[in-house]
Amino acid sequence: MDDSSAVRAYHASILEEDGHQVEFADNGYEGLEKFCAADYDVVLVDINMPRMHGYDMVRAIRSNERGQKVGIVVVSTEADSKDMVEGYKAGADLYMVKPVKPEELKRVCIMFSRTKGEGNDTGEGA
């Protein structure tokens, strides 16, 4: 999830090129609804989103039984160490600061995928 449609599209193009299936959400509530309705290997979450803050979304995902198994990666412009600590406290597995290099994004998604290299579902909210 990201509040910028351009960033979402950019991240999606990187991941789709690598064989991942990508879904978008425009805000935290929509992202949480999508997460509850389908299975994902990875969820990319921005911190500053409308309707539900990224940290709150991460906490909500982690409170769900399936949320214990999904990889959650925060991708944010917030680069301060307090933001990173808050992301990890909320339950993120990884915190990346934008701009993210395409190869790093691909590696991270493969790392969290259940079966690598098979075009896995990647809940991506770039």
Side-chain angles (χ1 to χ4, degrees), residues 3-119:
D3 58 342
S4 167
S5 60
V7 173
R8 285 192 308 264
Y10 174 66
H11 287 168
S13 69
I14 292 167
L15 295 173
E16 288 171 339
E17 177 182 287
D18 209 35
H20 297 279
Q21 294 178 359
V22 179
E23 289 193 33
F24 298 105
D26 292 329
N27 60 68
Y29 282 116
E30 182 183 342
L32 187 57
E33 286 175 352
K34 286 187 176 203
F35 174 79
C36 290
D39 288 324
Y40 297 94
D41 293 334
V42 182
V43 179
L44 303 183
V45 180
D46 190 2
I47 295 305
N48 300 310
M49 293 187 300
R51 300 194 61 215
M52 178 185 274
H53 199 272
Y55 299 136
D56 294 330
M57 183 180 165
V58 172
R59 285 185 200 95
I61 289 172
R62 287 296 188 218
S63 71
N64 181 301
E65 184 177 332
R66 285 186 302 122
Q68 301 299 310
K69 299 173 186 168
V70 69
I72 300 177
V73 180
V74 171
V75 183
S76 179
T77 57
E78 304 299 333
D80 195 71
S81 62
K82 69 178 176 57
D83 296 302
M84 292 178 190
V85 168
E86 187 64 28
Y88 288 120
K89 285 170 69 175
D93 294 301
L94 187 63
Y95 193 107
M96 301 176 79
V97 177
K98 294 177 192 173
V100 175
K101 295 178 182 171
E103 290 306 314
E104 286 181 52
L105 187 60
K106 290 176 185 182
R107 274 195 300 272
V108 164
C109 288
I110 288 171
M111 180 176 73
F112 286 112
S113 293
R114 286 180 281 226
T115 50
K116 297 177 181 166
E118 295 182 7

